[in-house]
Amino acid sequence: MDQHPKDPSDRVSRRPRGRGVRRPLLALAAVVAMAAGTLGTGVYLNRESPTWQGILGTEPVVQAAPDPAAELPVLLAALTLMIDTPSASGTAKTTAALQGTRTMLLEHVELLTPGISLASVASEASAEPSAVPPLTPAEFSLRLAQTGTALLNQSLGAPAQEARRLSGAGLELLIQARTVLSASGATPAAIDALPAPGGTAEPAAASASASATAAKSTPGSASAAGGATTDPAVLAKMPAFAVSACPSPTPAGSEAPDSGQLLGAVADSAYRMGYAYDVAGARTSAGLRTAAWDRSELLVDFAHAVEGQFAAELGCAPLRQAAYQLPADAVQNPMDAARSGEAQLALLLRDAAATQGGEARAYLLDAAWAQALHARQVTGIAPDFTLVDGAAAATATGAVTGSPVSSGL
């Protein structure tokens, strides 16, 4: 038989093998396509990502944190509109509180807004009619407290002198926010809900002296925020302070007192009040006696804790004086005489905080805030944190040397 040439179609086909190779390649391509699609979608949705910025050839825009001081002229303009609108200012008591806030802003916060005249802002706000309705006292108090808290937070990382200004302004705004809201007839719970420093955002139980003198409480909440000078639990968490030197009188012609002098003044001021309250307890009726002695014990414990850090770090001599001079009216009004030093201690705590950093600064500012609320509660007068020109430092010098100071203690 003739041998026919082998039919080419009978040859073993290579197609199955080719299809077997292409299947993994197609699967791999599908996975890569899905990953690329997912990545592309993610990059597209996240325009600020480094990948997207690399594609566009641009750098991410870094936005600086807003300066809370820039809010002050806005607040003053809003305040002026409220005062000029009888329906917004409300009662005579509310109007008086708003006027006091306006005075505080004009006198104090111009230090934080160089180049901006708050007086001109106020005059412009009163001269031009505004289409925006005036704020209510509750809305204004909230914004005032938010700005005050922001200034306090900013002071935590500022240089010493700037921290003193920022924290003083922040504390002043926080106090005024509570004053305005109280004058409008708000409840204590609403007042305590206003923003406040981190460690005292929710007021703790009032100290024994505060609860015993509730009848003398001032505008604002009847409770005092917990702090190192008003709550033993907070006192127990005192951090380590940076102590530069043992306390000593500030030499004539020298610059602002250092951390050792100011912390020494804080301890001495607390010791002075502790002595005054102890004497007041022996000279008052039974209703106030326990409150006076409890307050004396807490202040002495606080002063002893501060003093202990000097002794541990530098081996300094005890800060407590051999004898303290009582105010002139201590015999007739022993409790009022003892309370007259409460505001001074709040100012000294503010000044001492500026010499510290980190946790220690935050702790002392929280203590200054709690002490300010306590001082206002038992005396009816809030500490004047607009004093940033060395007046408190001069007071501190007097306290360290043991001579009578302006507050009477």
Side-chain angles (χ1 to χ4, degrees):
M1 281 181 77
D2 294 334
Q3 297 291 327
H4 294 285
K6 200 169 188 179
D7 191 347
S9 63
D10 293 338
R11 295 176 182 176
V12 177
S13 175
R14 296 177 179 270
R15 289 179 182 175
R17 181 180 299 178
R19 286 196 298 268
V21 172
R22 282 196 295 270
R23 283 195 189 99
L25 292 176
L26 290 174
L28 179 61
V31 172
V32 172
M34 290 175 63
T38 303
L39 177 61
T41 302
V43 171
Y44 180 81
L45 293 177
N46 186 10
R47 296 295 186 95
E48 300 300 325
S49 67
T51 303
W52 183 263
Q53 296 297 331
I55 294 173
L56 296 178
T58 59
E59 294 294 331
V61 178
V62 179
Q63 294 183 349
D67 183 4
E71 180 70 7
L72 298 175
V74 180
L75 287 174
L76 182 60
L79 176 60
T80 302
L81 179 60
M82 292 175 65
I83 294 174
D84 293 342
T85 307
S87 60
S89 58
T91 64
K93 186 176 181 181
T94 305
T95 302
L98 293 174
Q99 291 285 7
T101 304
R102 185 177 185 275
T103 301
M104 180 271 296
L105 287 172
L106 289 171
E107 289 181 349
H108 183 47
V109 299
E110 280 186 321
L111 296 172
L112 305 177
T113 54
I116 299 177
S117 172
L118 295 183
S120 64
V121 172
S123 61
E124 291 175 3
S126 59
E128 299 180 3
S130 175
V132 180
L135 298 175
T136 65
E139 292 170 338
F140 178 75
S141 297
L142 177 59
R143 290 182 58 178
L144 201 64
Q146 289 172 337
T147 304
T149 303
L151 287 170
L152 276 180
N153 291 336
Q154 188 180 34
S155 75
L156 294 177
Q161 187 62 19
E162 185 65 13
R164 191 164 172 248
R165 285 192 177 93
L166 290 169
S167 60
L171 291 168
E172 195 76 26
L173 265 61
L174 286 168
I175 291 175
Q176 287 299 123
R178 296 173 73 92
T179 300
V180 171
L181 193 57
S182 173
S184 70
T187 64
I191 297 170
D192 286 340
L194 287 172
T200 57
E202 294 185 5
S207 63
S209 61
S211 60
T213 57
K216 291 197 60 176
S217 61
T218 63
S221 171
S223 63
T229 63
T230 59
D231 192 329
V234 180
L235 171 60
K237 298 177 182 179
M238 178 182 289
F241 298 136
V243 182
S244 58
C246 292
S248 61
T250 305
S254 68
E255 297 181 355
D258 59 21
S259 61
Q261 292 160 347
L262 286 172
L263 284 170
V266 165
D268 189 74
S269 177
Y271 271 140
R272 285 173 179 275
M273 274 197 296
Y275 171 66
Y277 273 113
D278 185 58
V279 174
R283 295 180 177 178
T284 57
S285 61
L288 293 176
R289 184 171 301 150
T290 301
W293 285 341
D294 285 347
R295 182 65 178 151
S296 173
E297 181 179 2
L298 181 56
L299 288 167
V300 170
D301 287 346
F302 172 74
H304 183 72
V306 175
E307 182 184 55
Q309 295 202 17
F310 284 96
E313 293 291 329
L314 303 173
C316 301
L319 298 173
R320 196 166 192 175
Q321 302 295 325
Y324 287 118
Q325 180 176 348
L326 291 171
D329 61 342
V331 176
Q332 293 81 9
N333 304 293
M335 284 295 288
D336 290 342
R339 291 170 181 150
S340 66
E342 297 281 9
Q344 174 200 339
L345 180 56
L347 297 178
L348 291 173
L349 285 165
R350 186 274 313 266
D351 292 347
T355 68
Q356 302 296 307
E359 183 183 358
R361 179 178 288 184
Y363 179 89
L364 289 172
L365 284 178
D366 282 357
W369 167 240
Q371 179 63 30
L373 290 185
H374 181 82
R376 188 180 69 161
Q377 180 175 320
V378 299
T379 66
I381 301 174
D384 184 5
F385 286 103
T386 62
L387 297 176
V388 295
D389 57 358
T395 300
T397 305
V400 171
T401 58
S403 60
V405 293
S406 59
S407 68
L409 287 177

